[in-house]
Amino acid sequence: MTADPKSVEDAAVLLRAGQLCAFPTETVYGLGADATNADAVLSIYETKGRPRFNPLIIHCADLAMAETLAEFSPLARLLATLWPGPLTLVLPARPGNGLVDVATAGLDSVGIRIPDHPLALALLAKVGRPLAAPSANPSGKLSPTTAEQVRLGFAGAVPVLDGGPCQAGVESTIIRVEGDRLVQLRAGALARSEIERRLGVTVELAEQGEAITAPGMLASHYAPRALLRLNAEPRAGEAFLAFGPAPAFAGPMHNLSPSGDLHEAARNLFSMLHALDALGKAMIAVAPIPDTGLGEAINDRLQRAAAPRG
Ligand code: AMP
Ligand code: MG
């Protein structure tokens, strides 16, 4: 049993130290982690048992914090007048915003919101850093709306800041701002019609396949330019993404984790894939990676990257 934080201050200390802490929002309880700390964000995947790296919603204390993370067009600013609230905006990421790529799944966009809950807002302000916070439940289970459900879900292993029951019990609405278009990627606690009525805008529905319920499905977001050969030994002319003790190879190589540590490998995955892809080789060979723990999410990501594209 992990001791629960008694106060917002206690919870902020945990989060600043790179630990997880669940906290209430107006939608559901979130499993919070410092979104600028790769190890902290990876703990979210490990704790939830998530088999796939998807972009996590980044929670901000205020608009000033949000503006350090993303580019706000005038239209985005208009949508942001609905904050705090159960509305996530997907916006172009600001380069050098400090978010780790395991939090944004390596995308150059970021999903942000300011939650409408006094404890969440006080906590975000105390932490002073953006928090990644998917629902605080094991992957595939129902989203928790009470602290007790969070404790039960993780068998007491995750500290919870108790703020009583959540109001909405439904996830946030997700809207992507694309130039002068607004596209709803996920329906949620704030109705599309309500957004249209309050702001005098039109919100389109995402086309089939465009809505990202499992955003890893969007091959175009994930595909490197090079082709990938998985479970492979490198050949001459290729780049090599190694894992564990690497074979002798004269070509360009990065090792996800020389010691075979899956957590370290997950931390390095996006940046090393990018770095190898930037070399312009036609093929990247990738060493076998065990399919246990974080290895499942790593392999899912690699399989998507290796999939044939049209
Ligand atoms: P959650 O698990 O509650 O953190 O919700 C994460 C969801 O937010 C993802 O599954 C996506 O649907 C969506 N999302 C977050 N960031 C982005 C992004 N940059 N682009 C598209 N969708 C995003
Ligand atoms: Mg969830």
Side-chain angles (χ1 to χ4, degrees), residues 28 48 50 134-144 171 186:
V28 301
K48 283 182 68 87
R50 258 201 192 179
S135 55
N137 52 280
S139 186
K141 297 282 160 47
L142 285 181
S143 297
E171 269 84 359
R186 177 176 85 185

PDB file of all heavy atoms in Angstrom, residues 28 48 50 134-144 171 186, ligand 2:
ATOM      1  N   VAL A  28     -12.605  12.512 -15.130  1.00  0.00           N
ATOM      2  CA  VAL A  28     -12.337  11.286 -14.367  1.00  0.00           C
ATOM      3  C   VAL A  28     -11.036  11.504 -13.590  1.00  0.00           C
ATOM      4  O   VAL A  28     -10.385  12.534 -13.756  1.00  0.00           O
ATOM      5  CB  VAL A  28     -12.187  10.053 -15.311  1.00  0.00           C
ATOM      6  CG1 VAL A  28     -13.453   9.867 -16.137  1.00  0.00           C
ATOM      7  CG2 VAL A  28     -10.967  10.165 -16.202  1.00  0.00           C
ATOM      8  N   LYS A  48      -0.249   1.327 -16.039  1.00  0.00           N
ATOM      9  CA  LYS A  48      -1.533   1.035 -16.688  1.00  0.00           C
ATOM     10  C   LYS A  48      -1.473  -0.261 -17.495  1.00  0.00           C
ATOM     11  O   LYS A  48      -2.517  -0.806 -17.867  1.00  0.00           O
ATOM     12  CB  LYS A  48      -1.932   2.182 -17.641  1.00  0.00           C
ATOM     13  CG  LYS A  48      -2.486   3.412 -16.935  1.00  0.00           C
ATOM     14  CD  LYS A  48      -2.899   4.482 -17.940  1.00  0.00           C
ATOM     15  CE  LYS A  48      -4.090   4.111 -18.798  1.00  0.00           C
ATOM     16  NZ  LYS A  48      -5.391   4.430 -18.188  1.00  0.00           N
ATOM     17  N   ARG A  50      -0.324  -0.308 -20.510  1.00  0.00           N
ATOM     18  CA  ARG A  50      -0.738   0.110 -21.861  1.00  0.00           C
ATOM     19  C   ARG A  50       0.144  -0.544 -22.902  1.00  0.00           C
ATOM     20  O   ARG A  50       1.357  -0.421 -22.853  1.00  0.00           O
ATOM     21  CB  ARG A  50      -0.593   1.623 -22.014  1.00  0.00           C
ATOM     22  CG  ARG A  50      -1.899   2.312 -21.906  1.00  0.00           C
ATOM     23  CD  ARG A  50      -1.885   3.694 -22.527  1.00  0.00           C
ATOM     24  NE  ARG A  50      -3.108   4.340 -22.092  1.00  0.00           N
ATOM     25  CZ  ARG A  50      -3.466   5.559 -22.398  1.00  0.00           C
ATOM     26  NH1 ARG A  50      -2.690   6.292 -23.144  1.00  0.00           N
ATOM     27  NH2 ARG A  50      -4.589   6.045 -21.966  1.00  0.00           N
ATOM     28  N   PRO A 134      -3.469  10.391 -18.326  1.00  0.00           N
ATOM     29  CA  PRO A 134      -4.571   9.582 -18.852  1.00  0.00           C
ATOM     30  C   PRO A 134      -5.408   9.084 -17.685  1.00  0.00           C
ATOM     31  O   PRO A 134      -5.038   9.273 -16.526  1.00  0.00           O
ATOM     32  CB  PRO A 134      -3.857   8.424 -19.538  1.00  0.00           C
ATOM     33  CG  PRO A 134      -2.580   8.275 -18.786  1.00  0.00           C
ATOM     34  CD  PRO A 134      -2.198   9.654 -18.299  1.00  0.00           C
ATOM     35  N   SER A 135      -6.537   8.477 -17.992  1.00  0.00           N
ATOM     36  CA  SER A 135      -7.404   8.010 -16.917  1.00  0.00           C
ATOM     37  C   SER A 135      -6.653   7.019 -16.015  1.00  0.00           C
ATOM     38  O   SER A 135      -5.849   6.219 -16.490  1.00  0.00           O
ATOM     39  CB  SER A 135      -8.657   7.372 -17.493  1.00  0.00           C
ATOM     40  OG  SER A 135      -8.317   6.338 -18.392  1.00  0.00           O
ATOM     41  N   ALA A 136      -6.949   7.094 -14.722  1.00  0.00           N
ATOM     42  CA  ALA A 136      -6.174   6.348 -13.723  1.00  0.00           C
ATOM     43  C   ALA A 136      -6.737   4.941 -13.521  1.00  0.00           C
ATOM     44  O   ALA A 136      -7.197   4.590 -12.429  1.00  0.00           O
ATOM     45  CB  ALA A 136      -6.144   7.119 -12.403  1.00  0.00           C
ATOM     46  N   ASN A 137      -6.726   4.148 -14.584  1.00  0.00           N
ATOM     47  CA  ASN A 137      -7.208   2.768 -14.519  1.00  0.00           C
ATOM     48  C   ASN A 137      -6.248   1.875 -15.299  1.00  0.00           C
ATOM     49  O   ASN A 137      -5.596   2.348 -16.228  1.00  0.00           O
ATOM     50  CB  ASN A 137      -8.609   2.667 -15.141  1.00  0.00           C
ATOM     51  CG  ASN A 137      -8.640   3.278 -16.526  1.00  0.00           C
ATOM     52  OD1 ASN A 137      -8.720   4.491 -16.662  1.00  0.00           O
ATOM     53  ND2 ASN A 137      -8.530   2.459 -17.547  1.00  0.00           N
ATOM     54  N   PRO A 138      -6.192   0.595 -14.934  1.00  0.00           N
ATOM     55  CA  PRO A 138      -5.410  -0.331 -15.755  1.00  0.00           C
ATOM     56  C   PRO A 138      -5.977  -0.339 -17.172  1.00  0.00           C
ATOM     57  O   PRO A 138      -7.185  -0.187 -17.359  1.00  0.00           O
ATOM     58  CB  PRO A 138      -5.619  -1.686 -15.074  1.00  0.00           C
ATOM     59  CG  PRO A 138      -6.051  -1.375 -13.687  1.00  0.00           C
ATOM     60  CD  PRO A 138      -6.812  -0.077 -13.775  1.00  0.00           C
ATOM     61  N   SER A 139      -5.099  -0.488 -18.155  1.00  0.00           N
ATOM     62  CA  SER A 139      -5.508  -0.473 -19.557  1.00  0.00           C
ATOM     63  C   SER A 139      -6.676  -1.432 -19.785  1.00  0.00           C
ATOM     64  O   SER A 139      -6.664  -2.559 -19.296  1.00  0.00           O
ATOM     65  CB  SER A 139      -4.314  -0.888 -20.408  1.00  0.00           C
ATOM     66  OG  SER A 139      -4.621  -0.765 -21.758  1.00  0.00           O
ATOM     67  N   GLY A 140      -7.697  -0.951 -20.463  1.00  0.00           N
ATOM     68  CA  GLY A 140      -8.830  -1.809 -20.805  1.00  0.00           C
ATOM     69  C   GLY A 140      -9.923  -1.841 -19.756  1.00  0.00           C
ATOM     70  O   GLY A 140     -10.981  -2.414 -19.980  1.00  0.00           O
ATOM     71  N   LYS A 141      -9.688  -1.217 -18.597  1.00  0.00           N
ATOM     72  CA  LYS A 141     -10.710  -1.197 -17.540  1.00  0.00           C
ATOM     73  C   LYS A 141     -11.438   0.146 -17.552  1.00  0.00           C
ATOM     74  O   LYS A 141     -11.013   1.088 -18.206  1.00  0.00           O
ATOM     75  CB  LYS A 141     -10.050  -1.439 -16.174  1.00  0.00           C
ATOM     76  CG  LYS A 141      -9.396  -2.807 -16.064  1.00  0.00           C
ATOM     77  CD  LYS A 141     -10.442  -3.867 -15.817  1.00  0.00           C
ATOM     78  CE  LYS A 141     -10.033  -5.295 -16.136  1.00  0.00           C
ATOM     79  NZ  LYS A 141      -8.752  -5.743 -15.658  1.00  0.00           N
ATOM     80  N   LEU A 142     -12.520   0.211 -16.800  1.00  0.00           N
ATOM     81  CA  LEU A 142     -13.315   1.442 -16.776  1.00  0.00           C
ATOM     82  C   LEU A 142     -12.566   2.594 -16.123  1.00  0.00           C
ATOM     83  O   LEU A 142     -11.786   2.397 -15.198  1.00  0.00           O
ATOM     84  CB  LEU A 142     -14.606   1.201 -15.991  1.00  0.00           C
ATOM     85  CG  LEU A 142     -15.675   0.381 -16.698  1.00  0.00           C
ATOM     86  CD1 LEU A 142     -16.902   0.255 -15.809  1.00  0.00           C
ATOM     87  CD2 LEU A 142     -16.037   1.039 -18.035  1.00  0.00           C
ATOM     88  N   SER A 143     -12.865   3.788 -16.595  1.00  0.00           N
ATOM     89  CA  SER A 143     -12.250   4.983 -16.024  1.00  0.00           C
ATOM     90  C   SER A 143     -12.805   5.226 -14.627  1.00  0.00           C
ATOM     91  O   SER A 143     -14.008   5.098 -14.405  1.00  0.00           O
ATOM     92  CB  SER A 143     -12.535   6.195 -16.898  1.00  0.00           C
ATOM     93  OG  SER A 143     -11.967   6.015 -18.157  1.00  0.00           O
ATOM     94  N   PRO A 144     -11.949   5.600 -13.677  1.00  0.00           N
ATOM     95  CA  PRO A 144     -12.386   5.787 -12.289  1.00  0.00           C
ATOM     96  C   PRO A 144     -12.925   7.186 -12.027  1.00  0.00           C
ATOM     97  O   PRO A 144     -12.376   8.180 -12.496  1.00  0.00           O
ATOM     98  CB  PRO A 144     -11.100   5.582 -11.503  1.00  0.00           C
ATOM     99  CG  PRO A 144     -10.034   6.027 -12.441  1.00  0.00           C
ATOM    100  CD  PRO A 144     -10.515   5.775 -13.842  1.00  0.00           C
ATOM    101  N   GLU A 171     -14.766  11.294 -20.549  1.00  0.00           N
ATOM    102  CA  GLU A 171     -13.516  11.946 -20.924  1.00  0.00           C
ATOM    103  C   GLU A 171     -13.760  13.276 -21.635  1.00  0.00           C
ATOM    104  O   GLU A 171     -14.880  13.587 -22.055  1.00  0.00           O
ATOM    105  CB  GLU A 171     -12.706  11.010 -21.829  1.00  0.00           C
ATOM    106  CG  GLU A 171     -11.732  10.105 -21.071  1.00  0.00           C
ATOM    107  CD  GLU A 171     -12.364   8.837 -20.511  1.00  0.00           C
ATOM    108  OE1 GLU A 171     -13.586   8.647 -20.689  1.00  0.00           O
ATOM    109  OE2 GLU A 171     -11.625   8.052 -19.895  1.00  0.00           O
ATOM    110  N   ARG A 186     -12.577  13.288 -30.838  1.00  0.00           N
ATOM    111  CA  ARG A 186     -13.248  12.412 -29.879  1.00  0.00           C
ATOM    112  C   ARG A 186     -14.388  13.188 -29.245  1.00  0.00           C
ATOM    113  O   ARG A 186     -14.193  14.319 -28.811  1.00  0.00           O
ATOM    114  CB  ARG A 186     -12.259  11.972 -28.783  1.00  0.00           C
ATOM    115  CG  ARG A 186     -12.884  11.108 -27.685  1.00  0.00           C
ATOM    116  CD  ARG A 186     -11.862  10.607 -26.683  1.00  0.00           C
ATOM    117  NE  ARG A 186     -11.608  11.579 -25.621  1.00  0.00           N
ATOM    118  CZ  ARG A 186     -10.679  11.425 -24.675  1.00  0.00           C
ATOM    119  NH1 ARG A 186      -9.888  10.360 -24.682  1.00  0.00           N
ATOM    120  NH2 ARG A 186     -10.498  12.333 -23.746  1.00  0.00           N
TER     121      ARG A 186
HETATM  122 MG    MG B   2      -8.671   5.980 -20.465  1.00  0.00          MG
END
